[in-house]
Amino acid sequence: MAVISRGFGARRRESDPRLPPGQYLTEDFPVLSAGPTPRIDLSEWRFDLRTESGEGASWSWDEFMDLPIEDVHTDIHCVTRWSKLGTSWRGVSLDTLVDAVETEASYAMAHSYGGYTTNIPLEDLLGGRAWVAFEFEGEPLDPEHGGPARLLVPHLYFWKSAKWVRGLTLMDDDEPGFWEQNGYNMHGDPWTEERYW
Amino acid sequence: MTVGGWRPARVVETVPATPSARILRLAVADWPGSLAGQHVDVRLTAEDGYQAVRSYSLGSYGSGETIELGVDEIPDGEVSPYLVRDVLPGDELEVKGPLGGYFVWQPGGVAPVQFIAGGSGVVPLMAMVRAATDAGAAASARLLYSTRRPENAIYREELSDGAGDRGVAVSWAYTRAAPAGWDGQVGRLDDERLREAVWPPSSAPIVYVCGPTGFVEHVADALVRLGHPPARIRTERFGGA
C-alpha cells in the first residue's frame, strides 16, 4: 500500500502506453556518463569483435561504412527514468557484424573508448534488435551522445547502449560491466523494471 | 550494495536554500545509511493512485534515520515544483536507496580530492565535503562552486562558514553577477580560473564534477586539456524534467 503524498498530482503528465512503468517522457536528450567525453578521430576509429575462442574480426571506419546500413526508428528508455519516443538512427545491425565470426557464445561485453564496459546477452543483440549507430536524427552522432558510434539496444535500458563503442568480446559466461558492478541490474529490461540489483 | 524496496519517509523540515531550491530533511525508518555522493529515488503517490518517481542526490551521508535532499525547481517539471513549493513538514512520501556506487567519496584515499560543482550539482558534493571534513581530510580537499549569482548557491552559508581551520577550502565562481567587493572575473569558468582553483595534475587529484550537462562537458573537457587524466575525472550530469 503506497504512501499518499498530500496534494501531489496537480502537474501530472499524460500517460502514454509506449512508456514502460516508472518512466516519464522527455523531449530533450539528457546526457549521462561517468567521465569526460572521449574525442575519437575517425582515422583511428576501429570496431573489434572477439569471440570466446579468441578469433576476431575488425573494421576501420571506411570498412564499417561499406557494410549494410539500416534506418532505425525506436523509443529509448534510460534507467534514470526518462524515455524518448520516436527517435531515428542509422547504423549497422549486430547481425551483420556477428555473421562475420564463428561463435557459440551466450553473452557479450561491450567495450568503449574511455574504458566503459557493459554486458549484454547475445540473444539481446541479434535478431534485428541491436545496432552500432553513427547517425541520430539525420546528423552524425554528437560526441556527448556517444559519437562517432555507439551501441543501440533500444529494448534494454540505455546504459546497455554503450557510447563510444570500440568493440565486443563474446563470452560463454555472463560478467558484470561498469554500471553492473556499481549497482545496476545484469540485464536491464525496462518493461519489468530491471533497474538495480 | 543491495537496494531494498520503497520506504516511507516523513518530511521533518523544509529549508529555503535559493529563490528556486529547497532543502528537505526526511525521516526514514530503518534507513541503512549512505555513502557520500549517493542518491535516492523519490516516489510520490496522488490520492487516486497516480505515481511519479524521480532521482535526487543526498546532501547527507552516513548512518542515522534523517536524510537530506536538495531540490532545485524545474519550472515546467512535474515533481520538483511539488517538492520545492508544496510539500510541508509532516507530509509523507517514499524513498528507495541509497543508489549509486560510483560517484561516491570515501575516506582513506591518499590523493587530494577536487570537487567542482555547477548550480544544484553541489548537493552530492556537499555530502562529500561534509564527509571529508568529518574524516579530518579537509586539508586535502577543495571545492570550486560555480553559480549564476551568490543567492543561487545552495549551502552558501555552510560553505562560507566552514572554510575556516578544519573545513574544505571553497573557491567561488559566478557566471552572471558577483557579490559586492568581488575582484575576480564574472563569466563561464575558463582554463585560467580552473588552473588557479583546482589541484594541479602534478598532485594527481581525483576530481568529481557535478552539474548541468553543458557545465560538466565544458569543465571535464577543460580538465583533460589542462592535463588531468580522464580516468581521474568522475562526472555526474543533471538532466532535465
Side-chain angles (χ1 to χ4, degrees), chain A residues 5-8 11, chain B residues 44 79-87 91:
Chain A
S5 293
R6 181 200 55 82
F8 172 66
R11 299 174 184 86
Chain B
L44 302 174
V79 170
S80 61
Y82 175 80
L83 294 176
V84 172
R85 287 200 233 162
D86 300 345
V87 86
D91 286 347

Side-chain angles (χ1 to χ4, degrees), chain A residues 49-57 102 169-170:
Chain A
L49 182 61
R50 190 150 300 280
T51 71
E52 69 278 21
S53 62
E55 301 293 303
E102 291 284 331
T169 303
L170 306 183

Side-chain angles (χ1 to χ4, degrees), chain B residues 19-222:
Chain B
S20 65
R22 188 150 91 160
I23 291 166
L24 300 180
R25 295 203 176 90
L26 310 175
V28 186
D30 300 321
W31 175 248
S34 65
L35 302 174
Q38 288 191 297
H39 62 278
V40 290
D41 280 354
V42 172
R43 181 164 81 177
L44 302 174
T45 304
E47 282 185 21
D48 64 358
Y50 171 81
Q51 294 183 323
V53 180
R54 297 291 186 276
S55 295
Y56 290 100
S57 292
L58 292 164
S60 56
Y61 80 100
S63 57
E65 298 202 336
T66 303
I67 62 172
E68 181 177 300
L69 312 181
V71 182
D72 198 18
E73 181 176 355
I74 295 160
D76 61 349
E78 177 185 0
V79 170
S80 61
Y82 175 80
L83 294 176
V84 172
R85 287 200 233 162
D86 300 345
V87 86
L88 295 172
D91 286 347
E92 293 193 295
L93 42 81
E94 291 170 294
V95 299
K96 179 188 287 219
L99 301 169
Y102 178 70
F103 197 79
V104 297
W105 181 85
Q106 296 184 76
V110 288
V113 59
Q114 178 71 51
F115 307 119
I116 306 179
S120 61
V122 75
V123 177
L125 298 181
M126 189 70 212
M128 297 185 196
V129 164
R130 289 167 165 171
T133 303
D134 294 346
S140 63
R142 292 178 177 175
L143 169 68
L144 171 58
Y145 187 3
S146 172
T147 68
R148 289 196 186 103
R149 299 178 174 80
E151 63 267 30
N152 294 117
I154 303 176
Y155 297 117
R156 179 167 189 82
E157 282 183 25
E158 182 173 340
L159 289 170
S160 300
D161 294 347
D165 292 342
R166 61 182 282 277
V168 170
V170 181
S171 299
W172 299 90
Y174 302 100
T175 57
R176 303 274 173 81
W182 176 257
D183 59 1
Q185 283 188 328
V186 172
R188 199 178 196 197
L189 274 177
D190 58 14
D191 288 8
E192 190 188 334
R193 186 84 184 94
L194 285 166
R195 234 188 248 112
E196 280 170 11
V198 172
W199 292 107
S202 59
S203 51
I206 182 161
V207 188
Y208 294 80
V209 188
C210 186
T213 293
F215 174 84
V216 172
E217 283 293 306
H218 168 71
V219 169
D221 283 353

Side-chain angles (χ1 to χ4, degrees), chain A residues 55-99:
Chain A
E55 301 293 303
S58 183
W59 294 268
S60 69
W61 186 262
D62 289 344
E63 290 165 343
F64 206 78
M65 293 299 122
D66 285 338
L67 297 171
I69 290 166
E70 298 181 5
D71 288 297
V72 184
H73 301 282
T74 188
D75 304 335
I76 57 176
H77 312 290
C78 179
V79 70
T80 64
R81 298 181 182 274
W82 58 263
S83 289
K84 196 168 170 59
L85 303 179
T87 59
S88 294
W89 307 77
R90 296 186 84 216
V92 174
S93 169
L94 264 292
D95 294 303
T96 300
L97 299 171
V98 175
D99 270 351

Side-chain angles (χ1 to χ4, degrees), chain A residues 1-15 22-26 28 30-37 39 79-81 143-144 164 178-179 182-184 195-197, chain B residues 1 3 6 8 41 44-48 50-54 76-78 81-82 85-88 91-94 96 99 101-102 213 217 220-221 224 230 233-235 237 240-241:
Chain A
M1 174 78 189
V3 168
I4 305 295
S5 293
R6 181 200 55 82
F8 172 66
R11 299 174 184 86
R12 73 179 58 185
R13 303 258 170 104
E14 284 188 30
S15 68
Q23 296 294 111
Y24 66 88
L25 199 56
T26 186
D28 58 5
V31 174
L32 294 157
S33 42
T37 296
R39 314 277 160 177
V79 70
T80 64
R81 298 181 182 274
E144 68 185 48
W164 315 295
F178 177 81
W179 285 124
N182 284 288
Y184 284 175
R195 296 178 190 276
Y196 315 117
W197 291 351
Chain B
M1 187 190 80
V3 178
W6 291 102
D41 280 354
L44 302 174
T45 304
E47 282 185 21
D48 64 358
Y50 171 81
Q51 294 183 323
V53 180
R54 297 291 186 276
D76 61 349
E78 177 185 0
Y82 175 80
R85 287 200 233 162
D86 300 345
V87 86
L88 295 172
D91 286 347
E92 293 193 295
L93 42 81
E94 291 170 294
K96 179 188 287 219
L99 301 169
Y102 178 70
T213 293
E217 283 293 306
D221 283 353
V224 172
I233 302 168
R234 298 187 179 201
T235 62
R237 293 154 166 90

